Amino acid sequence: MSDELFHSVDELLAAVSTGLPVPAERKRLRLAAGLTPAQIAAALRVNSALVQGWEDGSAVPGPDIAPAYARLLDGLAARFPAPGQQAASAPAPVQGPATPEQQAAPAPQQVMLDQHPDGSLVMGPAAPCVQCGQPSVYRAQGRPMHLGGFCRPAAAPAAPTTQAEQPVPAPSVPVAPATAPAPVASVPVRPTPTAAPAAAKARRATSRPASRPAAPRPAAPAAAARWWPMVALDVAEDGTWALDVPGFPVPAGMKLGDWFAWLGTGLPLRIERAHPSGRGGDGTVCLTAGALKQLGLPAALPGTEKALASLQAKLAKAAAAVGMEVSEHVGPTFHAFRRAGSAGGQKTSVRVVVAPWLGQGDARQQATSALALPLATAPDGTVDGATFARRFRAFTTDLGVAPGATTATTGMALLEAVRPRVEWVKDPATGEWFSHLREGALPTGDLCVPPAAGARHPLTRELLSKGEAVCEEEDYKWWARELTAEESVRPWAVAVDVCASYLSVTDSLRLPASPLELVQSPDWNGGKTAGLWWCDFTTTAVDELLPHPATFHGRPPTGPGWYATPTVAYMATTYGFDPATITQAYLSPHTVPLLKEWTGHLRAGYKRAYAGLGLVDGQGPEEFLAAYAVHKDTGTDPVRTDALVLAGLYKNIYKGGIGKWADSARHLDDQAWLEKVAAAWSYRPEIRFHIIAAARIAAHRRLRKTLQLTGRAPFAVNVDSYLYATDAPSPLELLPVKDDGTPVPGALRLGIAPGSHKHEASIPLGVVVEAMERREHPSKLVHHYTTDGMAIGPEQTGTDDGAAGTGGDDEEGGN
């Protein structure tokens, strides 16, 4: 007990000796100014945990920090006196004659940096900041000034300052960065395009307004604004450090050791957790070519083992001087960190991305930065650090996670972020923390059942060797039928493609969360239980002009087979299949909408990206077709270019994430695959089967309703691309509409929203007939013709088809 008392007394004496107010008053002053612990920590070059310790009395500022901290608190006390305290009784700083503007102001106002009309910051030659005396290139009312709250403390306590020299509270929403082409807010937000083609503006003016405009990026609460996911470090023209985030602390010097010291100061870099039970992520510093040159690092990643080892040693030596370490393998991305208890400061970890090195190195190094390279590629084709940082911040704001090594791993990381599998609880008896699976979490282990074990699993090989059936829920592949007499006289074949078909079904889709269990004579339960059902659809009549809804090849099944719940439910409700005939099933005792939150993040990011390209919900068919025809014409506009890059990335993430459920991991041998992939929680082929089945059934439902309303049906289908015979090279004649001209819900409609359709190509019907006579599938012609029916050469074609499983033609279409 005596030791505790002595310790308390020592803390009290230390606090008195520094001349600081009591801890509770420190916190009151910070809150009154609207500052966060991270902002104060960044200004004082300490960890934010220390600031919180100073405010709750568990820690005391050291003698090197106390004077600067005291100066900050004195300034705040002058601006924000305690309740009931007379302004005259408070220690007043020496002030010069008040200007008319100061006399008219009822209270000190938050300082905003000067901006040009386009929102960019006014910059000038580096000059002493009127608040802290350190050089600043920014201006506020024409005077050199840093963003409030991030000024660097003076080397020694300063004399009483004038009103203009008092620290200024940081605005809760930082202003735009000086070097970024687009404004940056406390939650990085891509602005909508400032200019659009004149024709597009005219179309929007004459069409009906969007009924559901794309949602803006969610605004974070004020408490969350203290973190930035990434900052780009560059060198200004005058040779000083330049960052693309306003008011961000800069390294104290220009050497490699100064840079590592800066990384270890507890920078306000962090990816906030997307769920209370989840985990956040390390913040990232991106080095530009200018920063590399200033730090004495090579412009290109060394290509030999000897040179790479020399670079590793150089970085490790500079880091060790300030108690830091670097990753064992250095490449385009690596980590700089300090372990708990190491000399030099608090535990910290920062991810480093070297923009000029992206895409370089060996196969492993290139793989770890595969998603970073397109994010860093500027409109002119160069790899640019500021571009990467801007897009990275937009990406993390949209999805809540950082881009991973691949689209598939990023999709799984997003699922863990928004729906954590594990939560930690404290044992009230022992005080120790332990983890357990949250309700609805997927367990680990090889949980495959024979009908749905995936193509590479030994269970599948065993069944196929015996001639037994396995589940074959896949997208439609290469289905076609003979043209009807009415279709054969039409001059055109129009191809339409479903936009984000998987995202149109995953929001509320109930999926198996627990291992499947074999059940004899199962209770159908109206399709509320996720699982695989042994069904015989051979005698169930379906629409002859459409592909069979239950098979991926579109032809009627030749015998019973295993089908996922969405397929069975559709066959029962639409075509009268009797579920009482089901003899056995593999069912999940726990069925949940597993991808609800995951879908919400991806759909929102997808829609925001396309909104930046002029494609939003509620557009009329003509307006959408016109906007879609030019949406890839971004020129050098950074806003549109960013939107196009992010839209493509989001598409590939949801498709790659769905394909991950049945990962074949061809780079692993069979035994390693069983141990590392099949036993992982993310290997659940039956989940992928449910998603694919639901998307295929949703597409068939739209095709069937369109057929019922218009008498028009596709004569060829591949994945979610449909070919119709038409009288004009346009899909407008295919759209069923109400009497008022609005689209019919649940039928074919044009738009960018998940489940809507876009116009892929228009092909002369004669060319299609010739291909079919050669026994070629006509969908192979889609990428050889424009939407106007013009033929293009093979060298001009290309698809952005993404992965939902195995690649190539098995995958979903471009959007």
Side-chain angles (χ1 to χ4, degrees):
M1 178 63 71
S2 58
D3 290 341
E4 294 181 2
L5 293 176
F6 286 140
H7 181 67
S8 299
V9 170
D10 289 340
E11 288 184 348
L12 183 60
L13 290 175
V16 172
S17 65
T18 60
L20 297 173
V22 296
E25 176 65 5
R26 303 170 198 172
K27 183 174 182 179
R28 186 195 70 80
L29 290 172
R30 176 180 62 76
L31 294 176
L35 297 173
T36 67
Q39 288 175 307
I40 294 178
L44 299 178
R45 304 297 194 273
V46 298
N47 192 284
S48 59
L50 278 179
V51 177
Q52 294 173 338
W54 299 342
E55 294 180 354
D56 62 22
S58 62
V60 177
D64 56 333
I65 298 295
Y69 189 39
R71 181 183 181 186
L72 172 63
L73 295 176
D74 288 343
L76 296 179
R79 294 172 182 269
F80 307 101
Q85 181 181 3
Q86 296 296 325
S89 65
V94 179
Q95 298 184 7
T99 64
E101 291 81 358
Q102 290 172 332
Q103 293 174 350
Q109 301 295 311
Q110 294 179 342
V111 173
M112 298 295 289
L113 299 184
D114 296 345
Q115 301 182 44
H116 293 293
D118 63 356
S120 61
L121 295 185
V122 174
M123 300 178 63
C129 171
V130 298
Q131 297 179 112
C132 66
Q134 300 297 319
S136 174
V137 297
Y138 302 106
R139 299 294 185 265
Q141 299 180 355
R143 299 178 300 171
M145 190 175 294
H146 292 104
L147 187 65
F150 286 101
C151 284
R152 295 169 58 188
T161 57
T162 66
Q163 178 68 24
E165 295 171 336
Q166 292 294 329
V168 181
S172 59
V173 179
V175 294
T179 59
V184 178
S186 61
V187 174
V189 177
R190 285 196 315 280
T192 54
T194 56
K201 288 184 177 180
R203 287 190 300 269
R204 286 194 288 272
T206 58
S207 62
R208 66 186 183 88
S211 58
R212 290 192 300 168
R217 284 199 176 85
R226 65 185 185 275
W227 297 114
W228 292 81
M230 172 178 278
V231 63
L233 181 64
D234 201 355
V235 178
E237 293 182 358
D238 61 0
T240 60
W241 289 120
L243 296 166
D244 68 337
V245 170
F248 206 92
V250 299
M254 308 300 289
K255 303 300 182 182
L256 190 58
D258 299 323
W259 177 65
F260 274 111
W262 174 68
L263 294 179
T265 56
L267 298 175
L269 289 171
R270 184 72 175 168
I271 297 177
E272 291 281 34
R273 64 183 65 185
H275 187 281
S277 296
R279 295 183 298 178
D282 289 341
T284 304
V285 171
C286 180
L287 295 179
T288 64
L292 273 185
K293 182 178 180 180
Q294 178 60 50
L295 295 174
L297 298 176
L301 186 65
T304 65
E305 289 294 334
K306 182 177 180 181
L308 196 60
S310 176
L311 173 62
Q312 170 79 28
K314 179 178 181 179
L315 292 171
K317 181 178 179 181
V322 292
M324 299 279 286
E325 301 177 53
V326 295
S327 304
E328 182 179 353
H329 300 286
V330 172
T333 65
F334 61 92
H335 272 80
F337 58 94
R338 181 187 291 121
R339 301 179 191 273
S342 298
Q346 298 292 316
K347 176 183 178 182
T348 188
S349 178
V350 180
R351 185 177 181 231
V352 178
V353 173
V354 185
W357 295 354
L358 292 172
Q360 301 178 15
D362 57 25
R364 184 192 61 82
Q365 291 168 330
Q366 292 184 38
T368 58
S369 59
L371 291 192
L373 185 58
L375 283 174
T377 303
D380 60 2
T382 61
V383 178
D384 177 62
T387 298
F388 179 63
R390 185 177 67 248
R391 293 174 180 171
F392 186 99
R393 289 192 291 264
F395 182 101
T396 54
T397 301
D398 280 341
L399 300 191
V401 295
T406 67
T407 56
T409 57
T410 303
M412 290 297 110
L414 174 60
L415 181 56
E416 279 200 285
V418 300
R419 190 184 180 91
R421 298 179 59 252
V422 173
E423 66 181 356
W424 290 82
V425 294
K426 188 175 184 179
D427 188 330
T430 64
E432 296 183 355
W433 291 84
F434 63 94
S435 64
H436 66 86
L437 289 179
R438 300 178 66 242
E439 182 179 359
L442 298 175
T444 55
D446 189 346
L447 307 175
C448 290
V449 295
R456 188 171 180 180
H457 203 284
L459 291 175
T460 302
R461 299 175 186 173
E462 181 179 355
L463 279 184
L464 293 179
S465 67
K466 297 177 180 179
E468 299 183 20
V470 296
C471 185
E472 295 182 319
E473 295 280 19
E474 296 291 347
D475 289 308
Y476 284 125
K477 298 177 183 176
W478 311 114
W479 175 83
R481 60 168 173 79
E482 294 290 335
L483 294 169
T484 65
E486 183 180 2
E487 291 170 337
S488 62
V489 298
R490 291 193 167 105
W492 294 97
V494 166
V496 294
D497 181 87
V498 183
C499 297
S501 64
Y502 302 135
L503 288 186
S504 69
V505 299
T506 51
D507 181 63
S508 58
L509 181 62
R510 297 180 64 80
L511 296 167
S514 54
L516 301 183
E517 299 176 359
L518 181 60
V519 179
Q520 301 295 335
S521 301
D523 178 17
W524 169 236
N525 188 10
K528 297 179 181 179
T529 303
L532 307 176
W533 310 77
W534 182 253
C535 302
D536 188 351
F537 297 140
T538 56
T539 60
T540 304
V542 296
D543 298 280
E544 295 182 357
L545 291 179
L546 298 177
H548 196 285
T551 63
F552 71 89
H553 46 69
R555 299 185 300 274
T558 57
W562 293 100
Y563 300 92
T565 300
T567 300
V568 183
Y570 184 65
M571 293 297 294
T573 58
T574 304
Y575 294 108
F577 170 73
D578 184 5
T581 62
I582 301 175
T583 58
Q584 58 181 333
Y586 283 93
L587 303 180
S588 171
H590 196 181
T591 301
V592 295
L594 185 67
L595 299 180
K596 184 176 181 61
E597 299 84 0
W598 182 85
T599 303
H601 280 69
L602 280 169
R603 282 175 65 113
Y606 168 92
K607 287 189 174 184
R608 278 191 288 269
Y610 274 111
L613 298 169
L615 297 165
V616 297
D617 285 354
Q619 290 176 310
E622 296 86 352
E623 180 187 12
F624 169 75
L625 290 175
Y628 190 84
V630 299
H631 83 283
K632 292 185 179 180
D633 300 335
T634 61
T636 58
D637 182 353
V639 175
R640 289 180 60 84
T641 304
D642 290 359
L644 187 62
V645 170
L646 291 173
L649 193 56
Y650 297 157
K651 291 186 297 183
N652 288 332
I653 286 172
Y654 76 72
K655 288 182 280 191
I658 291 170
K660 185 71 173 175
W661 295 116
D663 186 8
S664 63
R666 297 182 180 92
H667 65 285
L668 298 175
D669 59 54
D670 288 351
Q671 187 58 38
W673 180 84
L674 285 172
E675 295 174 356
K676 297 181 179 181
V677 177
W681 67 269
S682 57
Y683 185 76
R684 297 291 295 272
E686 72 275 16
I687 289 180
R688 179 178 175 274
F689 285 148
H690 276 72
I691 297 170
I692 299 294
R696 190 188 67 243
I697 292 302
H700 192 279
R701 183 179 287 111
R702 290 189 291 266
L703 297 178
R704 185 172 188 268
K705 189 166 186 176
T706 302
L707 173 62
Q708 292 174 334
L709 294 174
T710 66
R712 310 289 282 272
F715 64 85
V717 175
N718 184 43
V719 192
D720 49 17
S721 177
Y722 317 130
L723 273 76
Y724 282 85
T726 60
D727 295 319
S730 168
L732 294 178
E733 65 188 78
L734 303 173
L735 308 180
V737 295
K738 300 178 183 178
D739 294 338
D740 61 0
T742 59
V744 175
L748 192 150
R749 62 184 299 171
L750 296 176
I752 199 61
S756 295
H757 301 72
K758 67 178 187 293
H759 185 191
E760 276 194 298
S762 295
I763 311 167
L765 191 64
V767 177
V768 169
V769 172
E770 291 177 2
M772 296 177 71
E773 290 176 347
R774 296 193 303 267
R775 303 185 67 82
E776 294 179 2
H777 198 273
S779 67
K780 293 183 177 181
L781 298 169
V782 166
H783 298 290
H784 295 277
Y785 285 84
T786 67
T787 54
D788 296 327
M790 301 295 294
I792 54 180
E795 69 281 356
Q796 297 175 284
T797 64
T799 71
D800 54 356
D801 290 350
T806 58
D809 294 319
D810 296 347
E811 297 160 0
E812 190 180 7
N815 286 320

